[in-house]
Amino acid sequence: MSTTTHTPGRLEATLRAQRDAGKKCLVPYITGGLGDDWLASLAAVIDGGADACEIGIPFSDPVMDGPIIQQANDIALESGVTPESIAADLRGFESPIPLAFMTYYNIAYRMGHERFAKMLNDCGVSGSILPDIPMDESDEWIATADENGVENILFAAPTSPDERLARTGVRARGFVYAVGLLGITGERQSLAESATKIAARTKNHTDLPVLVGVGIGSPEQAVEACSQADGVIIGSTVVRRLVEGQGAGAVRELIASYREALDTAFPG
Amino acid sequence: MTMTDPGPTGRFGEFGGRFVPETLVPACIELEKAFYDAWADPEFRQELDTLLKDYAGRPSALTDCPRLSEELGFTLVLKREDLNHTGSHKINNVLGQALLAKRMGKTRLVAETGAGQHGVATATAAALLGMECLVYMGEVDMKRQELNVFRMKLLGAEVTPAMSGSRTLKDAVNEAMRDWVATVEESHYCLGSVMGPHPYPYMVREFHRVIGSEAREQINERHGRDPDVVTACVGGGSNAAGIFSGFVDTDAELVGVEPAGGAAVGDGIPGVVHGMLSYLKQDEWGQVLEAESISAGLDYPGVGPEHSHLAHIGRARYEQVTDAEVIEAFKLLPRTEGIIPALECAHALAWLSRDREALAGKLVLMNLSGRGDKDVNQMMEILEL
């Protein structure tokens, strides 16, 4: 196992503290700019007991995302949302939990690495999650992210050989995003076997928190994944409620139900 | 050196690379290794050459165009990829990839298609080699290319509409990539152009190199020299890459012709989508713009990274033609030479027709990459004859 020598950022420190307390990390995803009152969704996620939150910057061609998040992307883009408008909304919002932007690489590339990193700094976002730029293409971006204190999360996939997991463990910041199954984001009937497997394999290679995302659709599945993982990321199950117009109250209840299930199973 | 091996980074100058989710990186590496291994294996080459000859009908003819040449004022010669089995150049790449997929132990081919030519070719190869085949096609394209949808189904493929975004080629690529992420263990993504993550741009160009190699030999034999100009239409750019590769080391001017509504080289700026860094039509925030072209096969906001490189270093140039010019040019070849071109190829004809004065007296080689049968329904509604 490799231990990284960098100073943990806010995201990593928060998730580590949760793990050190014997508890599990809950990181929901919401689509930035989805509805004029999207900050109410963020507040609901925080109220519900999330440890950190991923905020999606909509992209026209989200190849890692399933129908629900695609739909949320389209709705937000049609309403004129831009990376800058999301950042501007966040500037007035003092989040008590660390935030990460999840988007696709062309958003950062078009803006320029430096400007993208500065935008995150300016609006209080700690981390970046860019699923379509693997570490092999990341040298320049990771250097800029490190210089600016942006925690760049990397992915571990069920298809990644150990040699790649080892390198991921060294180069990732914040946490390692373990992809729970072969496929795109979306809720599934049951937790894929690959979810606990990849979490366990990844943890053999890194001391960073390892969170499982993609394919987690119920508190029971979250608990099951956490038999190996340090936490879970839940996206489509949250965004579906927002797309269906269920509102912030429903989101808060949903997050609280995951929180309760995780805290009951792993009381610390 | 141009149009050679891009090496392990898959870069053509600054363009190319491998921008895919981690899940797909090992699959791309495996494919890269398998391709290099197969391409260096005389047995694989022999197997592919035999299929190209006995099944696809290669070598394709080189056709002089005396009547159209007289009308245009220069000597036009066509490389007849329209005469290949399935009616376009696409079969060259697909036979190569399907054989490779089989060699890798894959049982299922996934493909995207725009006009349906690549989908038909993939369905054909899957039938030939006994593989399962699923083709994603934009819902809009399924309507304008009904005939090809039927052909794919007849060949035993499943055709699934891409319902997101502009519901054209770009969205079909997204759906194919999503499918591949979920089925990577048993599926090979049979990408239809010189685009996508490494090794696709390189591999697909190599599978189409046969176009340029044959044409070089044929035109020298018939006209005693290399052409002054080599031209082809460009969407992703596979037929252009194939013919350019045969002449990139000559003095011939290389001219790609893009649709004005989807001119990635002409109007785009560098960006990353579908696994590659290349010229891309996008807005100020990096959102990919929808292309708009009369031709479903060229209706794409990006372009293969090697074309971006060839444009960047000035080895090739890229012209644009409008839909109206294409409709006019579509009528030229049937009337003067008895050949109905695909709408995609009518783009190259439209440029030749427009720039005829500048081309006066030259020897011009055009890749006629596909036949127009698939387009006659669409054109019947536009042209009054």
Side-chain angles (χ1 to χ4, degrees), chain B residues 21 76 162 176 185 188 226 237 243 319 334 346 362 364 379-380 385:
Chain B
L76 177 64
E185 285 168 333
H188 169 71
D226 289 323
I243 199 148
E319 294 278 346
K362 291 186 173 171
V364 177
M379 292 308 283
M380 261 171 67
L385 302 180

Side-chain angles (χ1 to χ4, degrees), chain B residues 30 124 167 179 215 223 234 249 314 322 345 367 373:
Chain B
E30 182 196 359
T124 298
R167 289 167 292 142
D179 183 303
H223 292 270
V234 173
D249 62 343
T322 64
C345 311
N367 196 16
D373 306 46

Side-chain angles (χ1 to χ4, degrees), chain B residues 36-344:
Chain B
Y36 276 91
D37 183 65
W39 210 226
D41 178 358
E43 240 176 81
F44 178 86
R45 298 293 287 259
Q46 183 60 49
E47 197 179 358
L48 178 56
D49 285 350
T50 302
L51 277 184
L52 288 172
K53 174 170 166 282
D54 299 340
Y55 185 72
R58 299 208 75 90
S60 67
L62 192 80
T63 300
D64 287 354
C65 300
R67 297 191 64 222
L68 184 55
S69 293
E70 195 182 334
E71 186 169 325
L72 293 173
F74 57 83
T75 305
L76 177 64
V77 181
L78 302 175
K79 178 62 176 164
R80 299 292 304 280
E81 292 298 296
D82 62 317
L83 295 177
N84 293 336
H85 180 44
T86 72
S88 80
H89 71 293
K90 296 290 187 188
I91 195 79
N92 306 326
N93 168 45
V94 155
L95 286 174
Q97 285 200 47
L99 276 184
L100 185 60
K102 191 127 195 174
R103 185 179 161 110
M104 292 170 71
K106 306 286 181 184
T107 57
R108 177 174 180 267
L109 298 178
V110 184
E112 83 296 338
T113 198
Q117 292 303 91
H118 174 61
V120 166
T122 307
T124 298
L128 177 70
L129 299 178
M131 300 174 86
E132 203 186 319
C133 179
L134 195 152
V135 180
Y136 290 94
M137 188 169 188
E139 196 199 18
V140 170
D141 293 339
M142 284 180 76
K143 289 207 180 92
R144 42 180 181 178
Q145 297 291 349
E146 272 181 303
L147 191 65
N148 271 343
V149 175
F150 180 75
R151 290 167 79 196
M152 287 184 266
K153 289 181 177 167
L154 196 60
L155 291 159
E158 194 183 322
V159 185
T160 301
M163 308 290 286
S164 57
S166 53
R167 289 167 292 142
T168 61
L169 181 53
K170 163 178 95 83
D171 311 286
V173 176
N174 288 339
E175 291 304 332
M177 289 189 78
R178 289 177 184 128
D179 183 303
W180 196 30
V181 168
T183 63
V184 61
E185 285 168 333
E186 67 273 15
S187 297
H188 169 71
Y189 179 16
C190 188
L191 225 165
S193 194
V194 286
M195 44 168 280
H198 183 54
Y200 284 101
Y202 170 53
M203 175 176 75
V204 175
R205 181 247 284 163
E206 287 304 289
F207 285 143
H208 283 306
R209 178 179 285 280
V210 63
I211 304 171
S213 303
E214 283 177 10
R216 175 110 175 234
E217 208 177 300
Q218 289 166 320
I219 201 163
N220 272 280
E221 199 171 295
R222 188 166 318 155
H223 292 270
R225 66 184 182 96
D226 289 323
D228 301 305
V229 177
V230 178
T231 188
C233 61
V234 173
S238 67
N239 94 78
I243 199 148
F244 286 0
S245 68
F247 298 92
V248 72
D249 62 343
T250 72
D251 291 333
E253 196 181 354
L254 308 178
V255 182
V257 184
E258 299 187 298
V265 179
D267 297 337
I269 56 168
V272 176
V273 78
H274 296 155
M276 61 185 172
L277 169 59
S278 195
Y279 285 121
L280 176 68
K281 290 191 68 164
Q282 55 184 314
D283 73 9
E284 60 170 317
W285 295 107
Q287 308 293 354
V288 181
L289 296 173
E290 291 173 5
E292 260 182 64
S293 166
I294 189 173
S295 140
L298 304 182
D299 209 349
Y300 184 68
V303 66
E306 192 161 36
H307 287 293
S308 293
H309 177 59
L310 290 171
H312 186 71
I313 62 172
R315 180 60 191 93
R317 71 185 166 95
Y318 295 80
E319 294 278 346
Q320 295 179 30
V321 292
T322 64
D323 283 354
E325 289 174 312
V326 170
I327 291 166
E328 270 313 298
F330 181 76
K331 297 188 288 191
L332 275 178
L333 210 49
R335 178 166 55 76
T336 57
E337 301 292 341
I339 299 168
I340 301 174
L343 263 178
E344 288 74 24

Side-chain angles (χ1 to χ4, degrees), chain A residues 58-65 70 77 82 84 106-107 109-111 131-132 134 137 155 157 159-160 164 182-183, chain B residues 11 17-23 25-26 170 174 178 181-182 185 269-272 277 282-288:
Chain A
F59 179 56
S60 53
D61 297 82
V63 293
M64 262 306 282
D65 286 307
Q70 286 176 44
L77 285 174
T82 68
E84 187 47 52
N106 200 47
I107 298 289
Y109 182 82
R110 180 76 179 89
M111 194 177 268
D132 61 340
E137 298 283 357
F155 287 77
T159 48
S160 309
R164 290 184 66 81
L182 290 181
Chain B
R11 296 279 179 152
R18 183 181 282 153
F19 295 87
V20 291
E22 174 66 20
T23 304
V25 173
K170 163 178 95 83
N174 288 339
R178 289 177 184 128
V181 168
E185 285 168 333
I269 56 168
V272 176
L277 169 59
Q282 55 184 314
D283 73 9
E284 60 170 317
W285 295 107
Q287 308 293 354
V288 181

Side-chain angles (χ1 to χ4, degrees), chain A residues 135-136 155-169 198 201-202 205, chain B residues 22-30 33:
Chain A
M135 62 179 162
D136 322 58
F155 287 77
T159 48
S160 309
D162 286 341
E163 164 272 324
R164 290 184 66 81
L165 294 181
R167 284 192 286 142
T168 301
I198 185 61
R201 284 184 59 220
T202 308
H205 294 283
Chain B
E22 174 66 20
T23 304
L24 294 179
V25 173
C28 288
I29 293 172
E30 182 196 359
K33 284 190 183 132

